[in-house]
Amino acid sequence: MKPILASLLAGAALLAAPVADARHRDTPEQQLAKLLKGRVAGKPVDCISLVRTGSSQIIDGKAIVYTVGSTLYVNEPRGGAEQLDDNSILVTNTFGSQLCSIDPVRLIDRNSYFQRGFVSLGQFVPYTRVKKSN
């Protein structure tokens, strides 16, 4: 009887371990604040250069951050932001070498490859590093 009870207790401990070890996940606002730490906002623009854009990052339910050189451009969509998450693939249909606030962005599910929605982009707010004074 004791070996069975010991096995049950060990199994229960293994099941409880992931709950105790669960990591705290930052809110979208906290994620964005960490990403922009040490940077200052510039004047919003309607378009960014696709040729110079290195990558994009989704902040769940909040924003899309585009890296253009050393500048981060934050776009908080006017509509559809609640659909943004790590499982989204962004598909843009542009007419030229720039991504603009009027360009449609479709969201494709990373697992099924089915369209799951779209976002209406807002303006792009540039964030640059604070220049250190001597």
Side-chain angles (χ1 to χ4, degrees):
M1 182 75 171
K2 285 185 181 181
I4 294 172
L5 182 58
S7 296
L8 288 174
L9 289 174
L14 287 174
L15 291 175
V19 174
D21 191 40
R23 296 181 186 251
H24 166 74
R25 184 172 175 114
D26 291 336
T27 66
E29 291 76 15
Q30 291 170 326
Q31 290 174 23
L32 191 56
K34 283 182 181 179
L35 193 61
L36 300 176
K37 187 176 182 178
R39 295 177 178 268
V40 293
K43 183 179 177 185
V45 296
D46 288 321
C47 300
I48 60 172
S49 170
L50 279 177
V51 176
R52 295 187 54 225
T53 300
S55 64
S56 63
Q57 178 178 345
I58 293 174
I59 305 296
D60 289 358
K62 175 90 174 143
I64 307 167
V65 180
Y66 296 92
T67 303
V68 180
S70 62
T71 303
L72 297 180
Y73 284 87
V74 177
N75 189 295
E76 293 191 41
R78 293 173 290 158
E82 66 280 353
Q83 299 176 66
L84 292 170
D85 64 23
D86 290 339
N87 201 37
S88 299
I89 298 172
L90 304 173
V91 179
T92 57
N93 298 324
T94 59
F95 304 98
S97 63
Q98 293 189 321
L99 177 63
C100 297
S101 59
I102 63 169
D103 292 329
V105 178
R106 293 183 295 132
L107 303 175
I108 305 296
D109 183 84
R110 188 174 305 280
N111 297 317
S112 68
Y113 297 106
F114 286 117
Q115 183 168 328
R116 56 186 297 231
F118 69 95
V119 294
S120 300
L121 295 174
Q123 288 191 307
F124 298 87
V125 180
Y127 284 84
T128 55
R129 294 212 180 272
V130 177
K131 293 182 182 179
K132 296 178 183 177
S133 58
N134 294 336

